[in-house]
Structures are given as structure tokens and as C-alpha cells.
Amino acid sequence: MTFQQFAKTLRPYYGENRSQDEFVVLLFDNILDIYNENAKGNSPAHIKFRSYNPLKNYDKFQSDTISRYYKGNRISPDTYSQMLKYLNTDNFVSFMEKPSNPTPEMDGDLVESIKEFSPDVSDENYPEKYAELFVNMIQKGAKEPKKQSGRKKKIHYPKDTSASSMEILEDKITAAGNLISKRIKAENLPEPPNITYCIKEKIKNDNHLMRCIENDLIYFDIVNKAFVSAAENGGKPPAFICQCIHNQYLRLKEKYFTEKEIVDNMQNYFAPIALIQPNSPEARIIVSYFIQLCEVFDAPAR
């Protein structure tokens, strides 16, 4: 489990009204020893930072740096190493027992989210299991080799895109992916959307792909609701994302990719935002929404 997956799983229940960087700092605050100014052996550095959390060294870790950890940037082995001697699972268990936004679905969601990594997790022990996962993540991260210098592949957003608007948008995309996933697992198909399908005008050389995309559009309203909600809460509107998709399509088209290769690459484009696997049905469904909605495959938007 990556730290990005870990943080995005917990934030709906433990990060209410907190920004991405505030929530990242909060998580690490609660897996480390609580600062005690009267304890013997405190170094000047500990007193300066008032905690054992190196992310509170604000000369080194600005909020935009920390928020990128939430989005998937790698935390350095040196940062993890600074935490090793202060790990405290009891603190994190106590934190997990006091959610800021408890919901009826919370226990089930949190158990389901880590079953792959902790098969014996249950409604009764998931605070301890999350604490164990977090400790293992830090220990493993401290042992990883240092990252070689080089350019990181990044998602192409239009210029003048604010971080806060993208944070809202990315959270809504993740929420849409989670809702689609639950519907698929429950075999609970939504009602067909009231739209005019235009996929035949766009996917002209691959009938199987065309049919798959049309079938995916039964989830059109679910995805659309997420993007409209993002716009209403200060995120970017669907028209903005359509422009992103159009730009991405033009880049792929220039490489003479087939229709399927273009769709596959679009899934790779969205998967990191929605915290889903590129080859998952959820990623394909979100991409199908944009193929229907946006100006791609040399056909007009609808």
C-alpha cells in the first residue's frame, strides 16, 4: 500500500476540514511519539520543531511540498529514517479511534480498503492494522535507495491552474471511482443516462472497443455528478477537464497510436488521480465519459 492510497483512504473520516498538507502532517504526528518538553535528552532540534515529526521543519518542508506527498510524490528515505526511533503505534491506534467524520459506512469501508494487505482485518481490529501498515510503510521507505535525479512524468494541466481547485477536483474524481467500484462489486447498475450516444462517430476502426465504451456510459451520470459537484465547490468545471483531455488526445494522436492505444494511454493519465489501476474497469469508465463528452477522435463534443 502506498502512502498516497493510505492517506486518501483515511482522509474522508479523519481529515474533515483539513487541507492535503495539514492532513499529511496530522498522520505523521500521530504515528510518532508525542513531544514532551520536560523529557530528558530532548535535542535543540526537537525543541525547535516541538514534535518528532520532521515534516514540521517548515524551512525544509513547505505546504506545497507536503501536499504533493498526498498526491503520490515519493517521501525520501532520509525523511522516513528520521522517524524510525520515534514510531509509536499506540498513538495511531488512539487517533484511529476518534474519527472527525464518523459515518455508518466507515467501519466497512476501512476494513475493505486494507484486506489485500491485512487479510485478518476486522471491524474490531482495523485501528491496530492501520497502525501496523503505517509503521511498515515508514520502515520500508527508510530502506529504499535514494531517488536518482531526473524528470518526473507529470499530468498536463492547462496553465494558471490553482492547486486548491485541482485538490477539489481530484478528490471528486477519486470519489467517483470509489462509487463506481462499489456499484460494480454489488452488481448494481444505474439507470441508463439521458444522453445521445456519439461513440460510433468517434471510434470507427475498432468495433469491440466502441461497444465497450458504449456499455461503460451507463455510469455517465455518476461521473458527471462528481465533476459538476467539484465545480460547485470551487474546483474546475467539466469544460476545463475536456480541454485537458483534448490536449492529451492531440499528444497521443501525434504518435500515430491506434484507437485502443489512445484509450489505454488516457486510462494511464487518469488512474493516478483517481487512485485506481490503469487497467481497471473504473479507469475505463471515467475515460469513456470523456470520450463521449469531449472533442476527441476528430469528432465534435456533445
Side-chain angles (χ1 to χ4, degrees):
M1 191 175 203
T2 66
F3 176 73
Q4 181 190 27
Q5 293 171 313
F6 186 83
K8 286 201 171 186
T9 297
L10 294 180
R11 189 179 177 197
Y13 308 110
Y14 297 90
E16 192 175 26
N17 300 321
R18 292 181 183 271
S19 64
Q20 291 176 353
D21 54 294
E22 290 171 337
F23 186 61
V24 169
V25 173
L26 177 70
L27 289 178
F28 284 103
D29 266 346
N30 282 282
I31 195 61
L32 303 173
D33 281 333
I34 298 172
Y35 175 81
N36 182 352
E37 191 169 358
N38 297 317
K40 294 181 180 180
N42 282 337
S43 71
H46 297 149
I47 294 172
K48 176 183 176 183
F49 302 149
R50 301 198 61 77
S51 97
Y52 296 122
N53 186 349
L55 300 184
K56 286 189 172 177
N57 178 354
Y58 297 120
D59 292 335
K60 181 178 180 181
F61 294 98
Q62 301 297 320
S63 62
D64 61 340
T65 302
I66 296 173
S67 67
R68 285 197 290 270
Y69 296 148
Y70 180 88
K71 296 176 182 177
N73 273 26
R74 182 190 184 208
I75 299 174
S76 75
D78 287 344
T79 300
Y80 277 137
S81 294
Q82 291 178 54
M83 301 177 183
L84 286 180
K85 60 182 177 179
Y86 304 116
L87 295 177
N88 190 323
T89 55
D90 290 341
N91 285 351
F92 202 76
V93 171
S94 298
F95 166 74
M96 291 282 296
E97 290 172 345
K98 300 174 184 178
S100 61
N101 180 36
T103 71
E105 302 83 14
M106 184 185 78
D107 291 348
D109 286 350
L110 292 177
V111 168
E112 190 65 30
S113 294
I114 63 167
K115 269 191 174 179
E116 177 184 350
F117 310 97
S118 296
D120 57 342
V121 66
S122 68
D123 288 1
E124 290 74 31
N125 69 8
Y126 71 77
E128 290 83 2
K129 295 301 178 181
Y130 272 88
E132 292 172 7
L133 278 176
F134 202 2
V135 166
N136 291 338
M137 191 184 306
I138 294 170
Q139 292 172 335
K140 181 180 177 181
K143 296 177 181 178
E144 289 184 356
K146 291 186 177 181
K147 188 177 180 181
Q148 299 297 316
S149 60
R151 296 184 64 185
K152 181 180 180 294
K153 182 180 179 182
K154 62 187 224 177
I155 297 169
H156 297 279
Y157 295 124
K159 294 180 180 178
D160 303 321
T161 302
S162 71
S164 61
S165 64
M166 287 313 306
E167 176 180 338
I168 294 168
L169 182 60
E170 291 177 8
D171 281 350
K172 295 298 182 180
I173 296 173
T174 301
N178 289 337
L179 181 56
I180 291 167
S181 179
K182 288 180 181 179
R183 290 236 180 189
I184 291 173
K185 290 177 182 177
E187 298 183 356
N188 181 16
L189 293 178
E191 291 294 321
N194 184 22
I195 59 174
T196 301
Y197 290 80
C198 63
I199 304 305
K200 291 180 180 178
E201 302 170 22
K202 297 186 175 186
I203 306 297
K204 301 174 181 177
N205 301 314
D206 190 327
N207 288 333
H208 176 71
L209 179 64
M210 181 268 293
R211 288 192 295 270
C212 287
I213 293 174
E214 283 196 337
N215 290 337
D216 289 340
L217 290 178
I218 196 167
Y219 295 96
F220 182 93
D221 288 340
I222 293 176
V223 183
N224 193 61
K225 184 177 179 180
F227 286 96
V228 171
S229 175
E232 292 173 347
N233 287 278
K236 291 294 185 180
F240 165 87
I241 304 299
C242 283
Q243 185 60 50
C244 294
I245 293 294
H246 181 68
N247 293 344
Q248 182 74 356
Y249 166 72
L250 292 178
R251 293 187 187 95
L252 298 171
K253 180 184 175 184
E254 289 175 355
K255 298 181 180 180
Y256 298 100
F257 284 161
T258 65
E259 291 171 339
K260 186 177 185 308
E261 287 171 336
I262 289 175
V263 171
D264 289 345
N265 275 275
M266 285 184 174
Q267 290 179 205
N268 292 335
Y269 175 85
F270 264 106
I273 305 174
L275 280 181
I276 49 184
Q277 294 298 317
N279 60 352
S280 69
E282 297 89 340
R284 192 187 65 235
I285 286 165
I286 292 173
V287 169
S288 296
Y289 165 85
F290 284 111
I291 293 175
Q292 165 73 20
L293 191 68
C294 304
E295 189 175 347
V296 294
F297 292 105
D298 302 317
R302 286 294 185 97

